[in-house]
Amino acid sequence: MAKEDNKNNNYIIKKDNLGQVVIAEEVVAKIAGMAALEVDGVKAMAGNSTTDMIGKLSKTSLSRGVRVEVLDGVMSIDLVLVLTYDCSIPKVSKEVQEKVKTALENMTGLKVSDVNVKIAGVGQSK
């Protein structure tokens, strides 16, 4: 079961007689961001400030637009996305939710309770 290390935003995902495995919150956020960007119709992750509200994602900012919360070993993820103009918002959002949940559960071993998607904008197709 995961425990949050509030000082460093790290989560213990495994602890046994061999030692422990700790994952940084930034890693969880990057996994979520990468999974979301793989979905057709997702143009970019949206940032939190006005200047990067609608901007392409670089490899160093894969966690932009992702908020992670872990409580008692269960993750809750909030994503802020920019979608392509010609996509179906409900269809793309559902696919993002499923892809992010699957990626996080498979890679971290933690349960994902919910993946909340906020659409911050639309842009031209990729």
Side-chain angles (χ1 to χ4, degrees):
M1 186 171 284
K3 277 189 184 174
E4 186 175 348
D5 175 355
N6 288 330
K7 269 194 286 189
N8 300 319
N9 289 334
N10 293 325
Y11 307 107
I12 299 170
I13 60 172
K14 180 183 167 218
K15 189 172 187 174
D16 59 21
N17 61 342
L18 292 175
Q20 67 182 12
V21 177
V22 178
I23 187 168
E25 183 176 306
E26 181 75 9
V27 172
V28 173
K30 284 183 180 184
I31 293 168
M34 290 171 68
L37 286 171
E38 290 179 357
V39 175
D40 285 339
V42 176
K43 183 169 179 64
M45 304 296 294
N48 296 326
S49 70
T50 306
T51 56
D52 62 2
M53 194 58 157
I54 299 176
K56 281 249 180 193
L57 196 61
S58 70
K59 290 188 179 191
T60 58
S61 61
L62 285 169
S63 61
R64 180 175 36 173
V66 181
R67 189 177 67 84
V68 178
E69 190 175 304
V70 177
L71 184 61
D72 295 328
V74 180
M75 285 189 274
S76 176
I77 309 296
D78 294 327
L79 302 169
V80 184
L81 306 175
V82 177
L83 302 183
T84 57
Y85 172 74
D86 58 351
C87 75
S88 165
I89 293 173
K91 181 180 173 201
V92 171
S93 297
K94 181 176 170 80
E95 193 173 337
V96 166
Q97 289 171 315
E98 291 169 352
K99 189 149 190 124
V100 169
K101 181 180 189 317
T102 300
L104 286 171
E105 288 181 345
N106 288 341
M107 293 183 75
T108 68
L110 297 175
K111 182 174 175 9
V112 176
S113 64
D114 51 81
V115 178
N116 302 302
V117 176
K118 179 180 179 183
I119 309 304
V122 293
Q124 293 179 346
S125 298
K126 293 181 181 179

